Amino acid sequence: MLDVGREDMMKGKISNKFFKEKISMLVILVVMIFAILIASNILAGFVTYILVVYDIIQFPLAQPIEAAVVSMAVSSLLIGTILARFFGGRFLRQINELAAATKAVAAGNFNVRIKRGGTKEMDFIRSSFNNMAKELANIETLRVDFVNNVSHEFKTPIASIRGFAQRLKRNSLTAQQRDEYLDIIISESERLTRLSSNVLLLSRLENTEKIIERAEFRLDEQLRRTVLLMEPQLLNKGIEVGVELEAVTLVANEEVLSDLWINLLSNAIKFSFDASTIGLKLTATKNEAIVTVSDEGAGMNEEVLEHIFDKFYQGDKSRSTEGNGLGLTLVKRILELENGKIEVESAPGKGATFKVSLPINKK
């Protein structure tokens, strides 16, 4: 996160830029008005001269100067009005285009765009508007996809639970079949619980701009507790964890980071082969804590690596029932809030290694 000094500096730069843009626009308007006045007076004088030379109008000999001034004033007013109408119309047309486009965006049309051109200031406004509309369109697409995916992810286990619950009503079932169906219902219920928890957590984190609650804690102890928490899943697949943890103390949100390690380890377990080994290593530099989680699974190709942090993306469809495609999305968002970063190395048949770097943040 930006510290207070950098935030004030950025606000100052934005304020200066806005002030310069306003001054520039004011100068352009003043120059335009001055140019219209000069042009209208020159044209008015020229028209008056032509009218006098060709005796179209005649001034009384006693008041030629006053009559000429009146004629020039009337001509200047008419010509100035015409010029102002022409140039002002072009300027107002750009404003009207922007107003119409803004109204369209407010009505939900995020595909509207304004053609760039005109003055530097108007071109800047048009470019900013187009970028805003583009970002809103992307957000709307993500929102629709998110709703559709959540609906689908909830629908599948609910349908499974309902189907096996209906089968349990049959009197002809054996004890083994009943136990099997009950295990499936329990598994699907746990899947729904994980999904709802992850959706709520992701929604909360996406609406959080900055984590305020931070405290000092031992990262190595938190990682050990996470491994113990994952022990049932590890035993189920016969996986061992090779742990190498240095003693590291940092200042961060302990609860949020706990979700980070749970999701990383769950992902490693999910894609590890039975009776394989997961590596968990913690080292530290002067300013960073580095956590590495590696597995001996099937690995990922380039296409999967490009999308692993996308919502609901699952590269291995055969394992879709073991997760919901939100774990690594949560990992990425948590690291964004904690000013951390993540690197992934993987290749088909060579497993995967996730390297997380976090600022130590002395208290």
Side-chain angles (χ1 to χ4, degrees):
M1 301 300 163
L2 293 171
D3 55 31
V4 176
R6 288 185 63 190
E7 287 182 351
D8 292 340
M9 187 182 300
M10 288 188 68
K11 289 178 180 177
K13 289 180 179 179
I14 293 172
S15 178
N16 290 336
K17 183 178 180 181
F18 181 77
F19 178 74
K20 290 178 181 178
E21 290 171 357
K22 287 293 184 183
I23 291 295
S24 178
M25 180 67 76
L26 181 61
V27 169
I28 288 175
L29 290 175
V30 170
V31 170
M32 183 183 294
I33 293 171
F34 183 75
I36 290 173
L37 289 174
I38 295 295
S40 61
N41 279 294
I42 292 173
L43 288 173
F46 178 73
V47 170
T48 303
Y49 174 78
I50 293 298
L51 294 175
V52 172
V53 168
Y54 289 95
D55 291 329
I56 297 173
I57 61 171
Q58 295 181 355
F59 298 135
L61 294 176
Q63 297 178 326
I65 296 177
E66 290 82 350
V69 169
V70 171
S71 177
M72 287 186 64
V74 173
S75 301
S76 179
L77 180 62
L78 292 173
I79 295 171
T81 301
I82 294 171
L83 291 175
R85 175 68 177 174
F86 175 74
F87 290 106
R90 293 188 62 185
F91 183 78
L92 289 175
R93 184 170 66 249
Q94 299 174 6
I95 300 297
N96 290 334
E97 288 177 359
L98 180 62
T102 304
K103 187 176 180 180
V105 169
N109 179 14
F110 302 122
N111 295 317
V112 64
R113 298 291 185 272
I114 305 176
K115 293 182 180 179
R116 298 179 61 178
T119 63
K120 181 180 178 182
E121 285 71 19
M122 285 303 301
D123 188 60
F124 174 77
I125 293 173
R126 287 169 170 170
S127 176
S128 300
F129 177 87
N130 289 338
N131 289 335
M132 178 198 71
K134 182 180 178 181
E135 290 300 319
L136 287 173
N138 291 337
I139 292 172
E140 179 64 13
T141 300
L142 288 175
R143 186 190 68 81
V144 172
D145 289 344
F146 182 76
V147 171
N148 291 337
N149 284 324
V150 167
S151 300
H152 173 74
E153 291 294 330
F154 272 100
K155 183 179 179 180
T156 303
I158 288 174
S160 180
I161 291 172
R162 182 179 61 186
F164 284 103
Q166 289 174 343
R167 292 187 184 185
L168 285 172
K169 295 177 68 176
R170 299 175 184 173
N171 296 324
S172 59
L173 293 177
T174 64
Q176 183 179 356
Q177 287 175 322
R178 287 184 181 277
D179 289 340
E180 182 182 350
Y181 294 165
L182 287 171
D183 287 340
I184 293 173
I185 290 174
I186 293 170
S187 176
E188 292 297 288
S189 300
E190 291 174 348
R191 181 182 170 190
L192 275 176
T193 302
R194 290 194 302 270
L195 175 59
S196 58
S197 298
N198 284 341
V199 168
L200 290 173
L201 177 59
L202 183 60
S203 177
R204 179 167 65 87
L205 293 177
E206 286 186 333
N207 287 284
T208 300
E209 294 297 329
K210 186 176 182 179
I211 295 179
I212 300 176
E213 298 178 0
R214 297 175 182 273
E216 188 176 80
F217 65 95
R218 286 279 297 273
L219 179 58
D220 53 309
E221 292 298 329
Q222 185 184 53
L223 290 170
R224 287 191 181 92
R225 290 195 301 269
T226 305
V227 173
L228 291 175
L229 184 66
M230 309 301 294
E231 189 172 2
Q233 298 179 41
L234 293 168
L235 291 174
N236 187 47
K237 298 185 71 172
I239 297 173
E240 294 185 0
V241 181
V243 179
E244 297 179 41
L245 305 177
E246 292 184 10
V248 178
T249 301
L250 55 75
V251 175
N253 188 293
E254 188 172 1
E255 179 184 355
V256 169
L257 281 187
S258 178
D259 290 316
L260 168 68
W261 310 128
I262 289 172
N263 279 289
L264 271 183
L265 282 173
S266 295
N267 186 74
I269 295 170
K270 174 181 175 181
F271 292 101
S272 290
F273 297 124
D274 291 353
S276 60
T277 301
I278 291 176
L280 178 61
K281 186 177 181 180
L282 169 62
T283 58
T285 63
K286 183 178 180 180
N287 300 314
E288 282 188 328
I290 301 170
V291 179
T292 304
V293 180
S294 58
D295 63 65
E296 299 175 346
M300 296 172 280
N301 56 31
E302 291 294 331
E303 181 183 356
V304 175
L305 285 172
E306 289 179 5
H307 299 283
I308 56 173
F309 296 107
D310 295 348
K311 293 176 184 175
F312 295 106
Y313 180 80
Q314 300 195 52
D316 188 350
K317 302 300 181 182
S318 65
R319 299 175 186 265
S320 60
T321 57
E322 300 178 30
N324 47 57
L326 289 178
L328 292 181
T329 306
L330 282 167
V331 167
K332 182 181 179 182
R333 181 56 183 160
I334 291 170
L335 289 173
E336 288 174 353
L337 292 171
E338 289 289 354
N339 268 347
K341 57 185 179 181
I342 186 167
E343 300 173 11
V344 187
E345 293 182 4
S346 183
K350 296 185 178 180
T353 299
F354 290 80
K355 180 181 177 182
V356 174
S357 301
L358 286 165
I360 290 180
N361 294 329
K362 296 297 184 180
K363 192 171 184 180

